[in-house]
Amino acid sequence: MSGPREPEPFTIALHPVHDASHHHVADRLVYGRHVEAEDEVEDLMSATARALASAVYELGDAGLLGDRTLFIDLPLEWLDRPELLPTPAPRLALGVAEVGSIDADLLERLDDIRERGYRVIMPSRLIKQDVGAMLGRCDIILLTSPSDLDEQTLEKLPARNIKLLVENLDSRQALEHYQAMGCDYYHGQYLAHPSFIASQPRGRHGNRAAQIRLIRALYEDNSDLNRMHELVVQVPHLHVAILRRANSSYFNRGGKAVDLHRAVQVLGLIELRRLILTLTLASLQPSSRIVLRMALVRAFMCRNLAAPFPTLDPEDAFTTGLFSLMDALLEEDRSTLLAHLPLGLPIIEALKYRAGPLGAVLTLCENHEQQVEAAIDDVPADRLHACYMEALASTKALMDNL
């Protein structure tokens, strides 16, 4: 029996989009996929998920997009699942990939997308099939030539606030021609070259069984956020993604870093569904269950040690213990990982320098682990070891649910 297919490196391209004043105001996401006939839809969905995971959920505020808009074509199969539409809607403009003709289903989907607050990009070839129907359902028209639309159609656009996007601009002469037409957005190598971002697998995808149970929990009639928290801590990539998402400028208006419990509440059920489903579709391999168990034991022990002290937040202690091994779980350099995580300064200093009360708790845990490893039968039955044994029990109870 052959083993699981190793995921290939996945690369997305972000093509800068400029306005008529040459300001970089948006990026157009382009990604490819390898398709075999029997798996075409599955491969298409997986490729879309990985592209969105890289450009929306992983780059986010800390990445290349900043406050710019993202233009992206999505397959019709993706639009059949409204819960998968990326957010925030005001910062996205969505096109429909590989659509050959207009039908009632397409019009209904476009209406739904716009009702949800997204802008819609349509190629001029579809606009020309039914100008009356399409002008009321699009916000941006993609041009490949100055002659794509007739004068009568062009005259209708300003009153409807419909913008024109020029594709593959390649010369100053073409730029001036389109500017004279009043086009709004431009992309092409004449103005700027695309940026390429490679997303490596590197064991980042977490525990597959936990992901499946988490998705199931997301769709239960009485979804329990505490239960979701328990599942999320077993899927390192989701843990990091949820923290990043909840601490982004769009969701975290207060500016104070939030922990995982609060992050789950901040995002809410709908956003959690969208984020977790996207990242689960993007995942292709499990991470190390052994390292995950070690990280959970350490996290629970830190929480147990912090519990009696009113000045220590047990949740911060849990996060400190868990993230002390997160670099091993995600196969990522620790300094790089911490630089991109929205963790509070006390946690960062504890992880980097073992500083402060959280650093002292973490050091106690690490020293005790070494003591247990060196002489299992000679460990004293003190409060420290009691916390360790409780952590073992908590970890076993948690992982037994997988």
Side-chain angles (χ1 to χ4, degrees), residues 275-288:
L275 173 59
I276 292 168
L277 285 174
T278 299
L279 293 177
T280 300
L281 282 170
S283 67
L284 296 173
Q285 66 181 20
S287 66
S288 168

Side-chain angles (χ1 to χ4, degrees), residues 104-176:
D105 287 341
L106 175 63
L107 296 180
E108 183 177 350
R109 289 173 186 174
L110 296 180
D111 288 339
D112 181 65
I113 291 171
R114 297 185 83 232
E115 286 177 5
R116 294 172 184 272
Y118 296 92
R119 282 175 286 173
V120 170
I121 306 172
M122 280 289 114
S124 56
R125 60 178 177 79
L126 285 182
I127 300 294
K128 290 188 289 187
Q129 289 184 23
D130 190 336
V131 174
M134 296 306 292
L135 288 188
R137 292 178 168 88
C138 79
D139 303 275
I140 300 170
I141 299 176
L142 181 63
L143 300 179
T144 57
S145 155
S147 59
D148 279 354
L149 298 177
D150 58 35
E151 289 294 331
Q152 184 178 7
T153 301
L154 289 172
E155 289 174 358
K156 297 177 181 178
L157 304 185
R160 296 175 176 267
N161 197 30
I162 297 175
K163 310 297 184 183
L164 293 173
L165 168 62
V166 177
E167 187 175 43
N168 298 327
L169 189 69
D170 59 5
S171 68
R172 181 176 182 82
Q173 181 180 9
L175 172 63
E176 292 175 345

Side-chain angles (χ1 to χ4, degrees), residues 34-51:
H34 173 69
V35 174
E36 298 178 2
E38 65 271 19
D39 295 324
E40 182 171 356
V41 173
E42 180 180 352
D43 285 354
L44 175 59
M45 294 291 279
S46 176
T48 303
R50 295 183 72 184

Side-chain angles (χ1 to χ4, degrees), residues 16-86:
V17 176
H18 295 77
D19 64 14
S21 301
H22 307 299
H23 296 130
H24 184 185
V25 295
D27 292 274
R28 191 171 187 201
L29 175 62
V30 177
Y31 59 98
R33 68 185 190 275
H34 173 69
V35 174
E36 298 178 2
E38 65 271 19
D39 295 324
E40 182 171 356
V41 173
E42 180 180 352
D43 285 354
L44 175 59
M45 294 291 279
S46 176
T48 303
R50 295 183 72 184
L52 289 174
S54 295
V56 178
Y57 298 120
E58 292 176 0
L59 287 180
D61 289 356
L64 300 180
L65 297 180
D67 292 328
R68 297 189 293 273
T69 301
L70 183 67
F71 292 3
I72 179 172
D73 284 348
L74 294 176
L76 285 172
E77 292 82 1
W78 197 271
L79 299 180
D80 283 335
R81 302 282 300 279
E83 71 272 19
L84 292 181
L85 291 176

Side-chain angles (χ1 to χ4, degrees), residues 186-310:
Y186 306 80
H187 85 76
Q189 296 201 11
Y190 173 72
L191 292 175
H193 292 279
S195 299
F196 295 93
I197 298 97
S199 177
Q200 302 290 340
R202 298 196 309 267
R204 45 168 243 191
H205 303 295
N207 188 305
R208 188 71 171 179
Q211 289 177 326
I212 293 171
R213 290 185 180 275
L214 180 56
I215 292 171
R216 185 183 304 160
L218 286 170
Y219 284 90
E220 290 175 351
D221 290 337
N222 298 312
S223 297
D224 184 349
L225 293 183
N226 288 327
R227 171 63 175 154
M228 290 180 198
H229 172 270
E230 290 181 352
L231 289 167
V232 165
V233 298
Q234 301 170 68
V235 188
H237 186 50
L238 292 182
H239 190 155
V240 172
I242 288 171
L243 281 178
R244 284 177 173 159
R245 194 68 170 155
N247 283 280
S248 68
S249 60
Y250 184 80
F251 286 98
N252 187 8
R253 303 300 174 87
K256 183 181 179 182
V258 298
D259 59 30
L260 183 61
H261 268 301
R262 179 61 180 153
V264 169
Q265 297 170 356
V266 166
L267 293 179
L269 183 60
I270 300 302
E271 181 64 19
L272 282 172
R273 283 178 179 171
R274 182 180 292 114
L275 173 59
I276 292 168
L277 285 174
T278 299
L279 293 177
T280 300
L281 282 170
S283 67
L284 296 173
Q285 66 181 20
S287 66
S288 168
R289 191 176 177 91
I290 296 174
V291 179
L292 176 60
R293 181 182 180 279
M294 293 171 57
L296 287 171
V297 170
R298 186 176 293 180
F300 279 118
M301 186 174 179
C302 285
R303 188 171 75 177
N304 294 341
L305 287 171
F309 300 97

